[in-house]
Amino acid sequence: MAEQTLAFQAEVTKLLHIVANSLYSRKEVFLRELISNASDACDRLRYEAITSPALAAGDSEFRVVLRPDEKARTLTIWDNGIGMTRQDLIDNLGTIARSGSAAFAEQLAARKSDGAEKTDDVSLIGQFGVGFYSAFIVSDKVEVISRRAGQADAWRWTSDGQGTFTIVEAERNGRGTTIVLHVRKDQEEFLQPGTLRRVVKAHSDHIGLPVTLAAKDGEAKDEEVLNAASALWTRPRKEVTEEQYREFYQHVAHAFDDPWMTIHAKAEGRLEYTTLLFVPTMRPADLFHSERKAPVRLYVRRVFVTDDAKALLPSYLRFLRGVVDTEDIALNVSREMLQHDPVLARIGSALVTRVLSELEKKAEKEPEEYAKFWATFGPVVKEGLYEDSTKRDQLLKLARFHSVAPEARKGEGAGDKLVSLAEYVGRLKDKQDSIYFITGDDAAALKSSPQIEGFLARGYEVLLLSDPVDEFWVTAVGPYEGKKFVSASQGAADLGAAPPSAEKKEAADSGELAVLIALLKQNLGEAVQDVRASERLTDSAVCLVAGANDLPRHLARMLRAQGQIQATPAGVLEINPSHALIRGLAKLSMNAGARGRLDDLGRLLLDQARIREGELPNDIAAFARRMAEVMTEAVSAKA
Ligand code: ADP
Ligand code: MG
C-alpha cells in the first residue's frame, strides 16, 4: 500500500499546538509517558499469551529499551509488547481516546471559553499529562514503527505534529513498537545516558519490567538496566519511598495529583493477595459517570488481567485507585468468567473492610485531613449507606455532617466544624431520642431555615444534609445507636413544651387564630394540604413542611428538576401564632369587611414560604401585583 497522509482529529491538533509551544518546565515527563505505554503494551500481551502462547513465542522476556544516538540526534524507545496494527496506529495516535488527554481537552475548551491566558494551558499539561503526544515536547518529528503480535505486517506512522501524519508499510523484526524521536536541537540533553538514567530512576522505577539503556554498538547483552524492574507492590513497604508511591499512583491512576492516602498491604492465610491502593486528593473527573470502568487493576501472580473487575470493589469506593495482585485465581479463565469468581468477591470484601478501617484511623488521628477527604468523597461513600447494609455501622461511623447547634451550646463543640454521629449523640438533650436533620441544596442556607427554629430554641442540634444522596440514605438507614433520624421539615413537630424564649412572647387569641386558620384553608384551597399553628417557628411568621407521609419537599424538588415528577406536592402551611404578622392577621380575620384583603395576604404568606425554600410563587404575575399593592399601602401609610 502506498504512503497515505491523514489528518489528526481537530482536538489533537489543538493539543499538539499547545504541547509544541509550551515552555513546560518538566519536559522529561515525555519519557515517563512513553515508557508507561510500552509497559502497558507488554502487560496486555502477557495476558493474551496465557490463552494464545504463540503470540509471545520466541521472545518472552518483556522489556523496554532506550537507544540514544547523538549523531543522528534520535532517541529510540523500543518494546516487545503487543504492538499496533495499521488501524490501531490511526485510531490510537490520531484521535483522543484516552481519559487523561480527553479530560485535558475538555478543560482546555472550558478555559478557552473563559478567555483564559495561554500560560494556563501549560500548567494544565502538568495536571493531566498528554500521553503519547508528550513525545512532541522534545521532538520535531516522531516515527512509530509497530507490528502487532501474531501479524506479519508492520507499519510506520510519522508526524511532525503539525496537523497530519503519514502511514506506510514498513519492516520490523518481530512484534512490538519502536518509537523514534527526532530530538529538537535544544533538547539534546535527552540523548545523554546520564540524563536518561536519572529520568528513568525518577519517574519509571516502579515499572514492573526492565527499562534498559542500549550499549553503543547495540549488542543486547550489553544493555544496562536503569530501573528496579520489580513491580512496586511486591516490594517491602520499608523499601518504597513516598516519591515512588506517588509516581506509581500517577501511573496506574492516570492522575496528576498526590495520593491522599496509600494502603500497601499483603494478606496471607486463607486468601493470598497484595494490594496497593490509593485515595486520590482530587476528585477524578469521571467520578459520577455511571459507565466508567472499575478503577483498580487486577493482577494474578504479577500478570495484569483487567482494569474492569467490577466485582472487586463496590461502587461507593469507586474513587480508589491502584492494584490488587492475587495468587488465588486461575489465570486461564476468560475475563467474563473471572467476574463471577467467588474468590474475587471475597478479596473485595476484605479490601472494603481494610479501606474503611484505614479511613477510620485517619479520621481519629488527623480529623482535619479527614474532613478534606470527606468533603471530596463523602457524597460517594454515603451511597454505601443504602447499597451495603453489611457495612452500615462502619459507614455511619465514617460519616461527617454540617450541623447547626443552639446558641447556648456552641461552646460544647457544636458549630461550624463537621460533626460525627458519635459527637451528635454525645451531646443529646435529656430525653432526646431522635437525630434531627434537614435536607436542602446548601448547608449554609439550611442553617437559617425557619423549619428548625423551634428545634434550636429547645436546645436540639440539627444536622444539615445538603448532598443529593442524603435524601436516599437517611430514610433507609435505620437508627444509629437506637436514635432514629427524624426530619425537622416533615410531619407534625412533636416538640413538647414551648421553648423558654417563647414565654415572654404574646400569642394570638386562640379563637381568632382558629378563624384565621379556617379562612386560610378555605382561600388557599388546593394550594396547601393543611394550615396549622406551628411548634417549629419562633422568629419567622410561616413555613412549609411536608405531610408525614409525603415525599420530603427537597426530594420532590430534585425529582421535579429531573423531570421525574410533574409538580411538587402541596405542603402544609405552618403559621407562628406569636409573630406580629400572624397576630395582626388573626385580628383582621374577625372583620368581615376585610375578607378579600385577607385572601390576598394569605396568598402572599404562602408565596413567601415557597420563596424561602427556593421555589417560585404559584402565580408570579399575581404575586407581583399583590406585593405592589402591599408596598403601596406601606408607603402611603408613612407618607
Ligand atoms: P493511554 O496510555 O492513556 O491509553 P496514550 O496517549 O499514552 O494514552 O496512548 C494512546 C494509545 O496508543 C494507548 O492506549 C495504546 O493503545 C496505544 N499505544 C501507545 N503506545 C503504545 C505502545 N508502545 N505499544 C502499543 N500500543 C501503544
Ligand atoms: Mg499512556
Side-chain angles (χ1 to χ4, degrees):
M1 206 186 282
E3 179 173 285
Q4 251 195 312
T5 301
L6 295 152
F8 284 116
Q9 184 190 21
E11 283 83 349
V12 176
T13 303
K14 250 184 266 168
L15 197 143
L16 282 170
H17 183 75
I18 292 161
V19 168
N21 291 292
S22 73
L23 301 169
Y24 187 45
S25 56
R26 288 176 69 208
K27 292 186 189 299
E28 64 196 39
V29 297
F30 81 89
L31 196 56
R32 167 187 75 188
E33 296 293 330
L34 299 181
I35 291 174
S36 157
N37 285 348
S39 156
D40 286 350
C42 292
D43 272 357
R44 283 169 52 204
L45 179 57
R46 200 178 286 163
Y47 180 75
E48 286 202 7
I50 293 164
T51 40
S52 319
L55 288 179
D59 183 12
S60 57
E61 275 174 38
F62 293 102
R63 63 199 200 285
V64 183
V65 182
L66 310 181
R67 182 189 303 273
D69 182 336
E70 265 188 276
K71 254 197 238 125
R73 222 186 321 123
T74 56
L75 172 61
T76 302
I77 296 117
W78 176 99
D79 70 61
N80 53 352
I82 196 156
M84 284 178 272
T85 62
R86 180 176 182 278
Q87 195 59 43
D88 289 340
L89 284 166
I90 295 172
D91 293 345
N92 297 339
L93 308 184
T95 61
I96 296 184
R98 75 169 222 132
S99 52
S101 315
F104 177 87
E106 264 169 41
Q107 287 281 326
L108 208 58
R111 300 232 181 170
K112 277 276 134 60
S113 60
D114 286 355
E117 283 296 306
K118 210 167 98 203
T119 45
D120 279 0
D121 301 341
V122 179
S123 70
L124 271 180
I125 296 178
Q127 268 176 48
F128 291 98
V130 287
F132 168 78
Y133 304 112
S134 62
F136 290 95
I137 296 177
V138 296
S139 320
D140 40 33
K141 181 169 128 187
V142 176
E143 288 173 80
V144 181
I145 303 104
S146 198
R147 177 167 158 196
R148 164 84 201 198
Q151 312 267 314
D153 51 335
W155 297 88
R156 179 194 311 272
W157 177 104
T158 309
S159 179
D160 58 2
Q162 307 284 324
T164 61
F165 58 89
T166 60
I167 276 232
V168 67
E169 187 139 24
E171 293 280 313
R172 194 182 192 278
N173 220 342
R175 60 152 208 269
T177 302
T178 306
I179 298 183
V180 183
L181 306 180
H182 294 261
V183 173
R184 292 182 204 214
K185 240 205 175 88
D186 56 346
Q187 302 302 325
E188 282 175 342
E189 56 167 316
F190 292 108
L191 301 174
Q192 302 304 320
T195 309
L196 297 174
R197 281 191 196 102
R198 179 184 63 75
V199 175
V200 169
K201 204 70 198 155
H203 301 298
S204 306
D205 193 53
H206 58 77
I207 294 287
L209 42 79
V211 178
T212 66
L213 187 63
K216 275 242 160 58
D217 33 23
E219 275 300 307
K221 61 181 177 340
D222 296 336
E223 285 171 13
E224 168 193 353
V225 180
L226 301 183
N227 66 336
S230 67
L232 193 76
W233 64 90
T234 61
R235 303 183 208 170
R237 236 182 342 198
K238 285 194 293 295
E239 290 171 20
V240 184
T241 65
E242 200 134 318
E243 186 55 28
Q244 287 174 319
Y245 278 132
R246 194 174 71 108
E247 286 291 343
F248 182 73
Y249 159 71
Q250 296 187 341
H251 164 72
V252 287
H254 282 313
F256 295 85
D257 56 340
D258 291 347
W260 178 79
M261 186 163 88
T262 303
I263 302 174
H264 187 181
K266 201 175 165 98
E268 272 156 352
R270 285 207 307 127
L271 290 173
E272 278 191 31
Y273 63 86
T274 304
T275 186
L276 177 49
L277 292 178
F278 302 95
V279 177
T281 302
M282 281 165 24
R283 208 179 257 198
D286 53 358
L287 194 62
F288 289 100
H289 293 189
S290 50
E291 75 285 6
R292 72 186 312 285
K293 289 187 166 186
V296 170
R297 294 160 68 101
L298 178 68
Y299 285 73
V300 174
R301 289 184 281 282
R302 250 77 59 218
V303 176
F304 171 69
V305 175
T306 177
D307 56 5
D308 200 17
K310 294 224 168 59
L312 197 57
L313 284 169
S315 134
Y316 66 87
L317 293 181
R318 61 184 176 272
F319 52 84
L320 290 173
R321 297 291 182 269
V323 306
V324 176
D325 188 351
T326 178
E327 309 283 325
D328 295 336
I329 294 178
L331 255 179
N332 53 358
V333 299
S334 71
R335 286 188 174 92
E336 289 65 43
M337 293 273 291
L338 209 135
Q339 296 287 356
H340 305 291
D341 194 317
V343 173
L344 204 60
R346 291 221 305 278
I347 293 177
S349 163
L351 288 180
V352 174
T353 307
R354 177 73 191 234
V355 168
L356 297 186
S357 72
E358 292 292 333
L359 287 172
E360 232 173 273
K361 272 189 236 159
K362 188 90 168 178
E364 258 164 49
K365 282 201 211 121
E366 295 170 66
E368 267 142 48
E369 273 301 298
Y370 182 76
K372 285 186 211 159
F373 158 80
W374 190 257
T376 313
F377 296 116
V380 176
V381 176
K382 282 188 280 190
E383 292 172 12
L385 287 169
Y386 58 86
E387 281 175 3
D388 187 355
S389 57
T390 66
K391 297 290 190 300
R392 189 197 87 115
D393 292 348
Q394 241 180 323
L395 291 170
L396 281 176
K397 248 192 235 168
L398 288 173
R400 295 292 181 273
F401 304 94
H402 288 287
S403 91
V404 53
E407 269 315 310
R409 294 174 50 199
K410 289 256 163 80
E412 297 170 40
D416 289 328
K417 278 197 313 208
L418 290 176
V419 305
S420 66
L421 290 174
E423 288 168 305
Y424 182 100
V425 167
R427 290 193 286 258
L428 287 186
K429 291 256 300 171
D430 280 355
K431 298 205 190 103
Q432 180 182 350
D433 58 1
S434 305
I435 297 171
Y436 294 114
F437 69 86
I438 182 164
T439 55
D441 292 333
D442 170 32
L446 281 176
K447 233 178 187 168
S448 52
S449 298
Q451 289 90 343
I452 63 175
E453 289 171 356
F455 292 83
L456 298 176
R458 288 171 179 82
Y460 300 125
E461 182 173 352
V462 181
L463 301 180
L464 310 172
L465 307 186
S466 55
D467 290 317
V469 60
D470 290 326
E471 291 287 359
F472 302 98
W473 68 262
V474 76
T475 47
V477 77
Y480 171 83
E481 301 209 333
K483 314 292 173 198
K484 276 191 313 219
F485 286 90
V486 171
S487 168
S489 59
Q490 179 150 26
D494 206 357
L495 288 172
S501 58
E503 275 159 22
K504 291 166 253 135
K505 286 193 186 162
E506 186 192 336
D509 172 86
S510 61
E512 293 173 3
L513 190 67
V515 177
L516 172 64
I517 288 176
L519 287 172
L520 284 174
K521 274 192 216 179
Q522 191 181 26
N523 293 342
L524 295 174
E526 300 273 280
V528 293
Q529 195 183 112
D530 196 8
V531 179
R532 66 185 175 222
S534 186
E535 287 187 16
R536 282 189 178 80
L537 297 169
T538 59
D539 299 328
S540 303
V542 279
C543 70
L544 276 165
V545 299
N549 303 315
D550 283 349
L551 275 182
R553 295 185 60 75
H554 173 245
L555 176 59
R557 281 196 293 277
M558 275 167 40
L559 295 177
R560 196 191 51 196
Q562 294 166 7
Q564 302 207 33
I565 57 175
Q566 289 305 310
T568 47
V572 175
L573 185 69
E574 293 201 344
I575 60 176
N576 178 359
S578 308
H579 196 282
L581 173 57
I582 301 300
R583 290 206 310 269
L585 287 172
K587 286 231 150 53
L588 194 65
S589 65
M590 305 310 287
N591 175 354
R595 294 275 154 97
R597 188 90 197 101
L598 197 68
D599 183 20
D600 273 343
L601 292 173
R603 285 176 196 280
L604 273 178
L605 213 52
L606 173 61
D607 283 339
Q608 188 207 322
R610 291 174 61 94
I611 291 169
R612 187 65 190 72
E613 295 201 328
E615 292 183 41
L616 289 174
N618 279 322
D619 178 341
I620 298 179
F623 168 77
R625 178 181 54 72
R626 291 188 189 109
M627 192 68 183
E629 277 169 22
V630 170
M631 291 170 79
T632 309
E633 234 169 75
V635 289
S636 349
K638 294 271 189 257

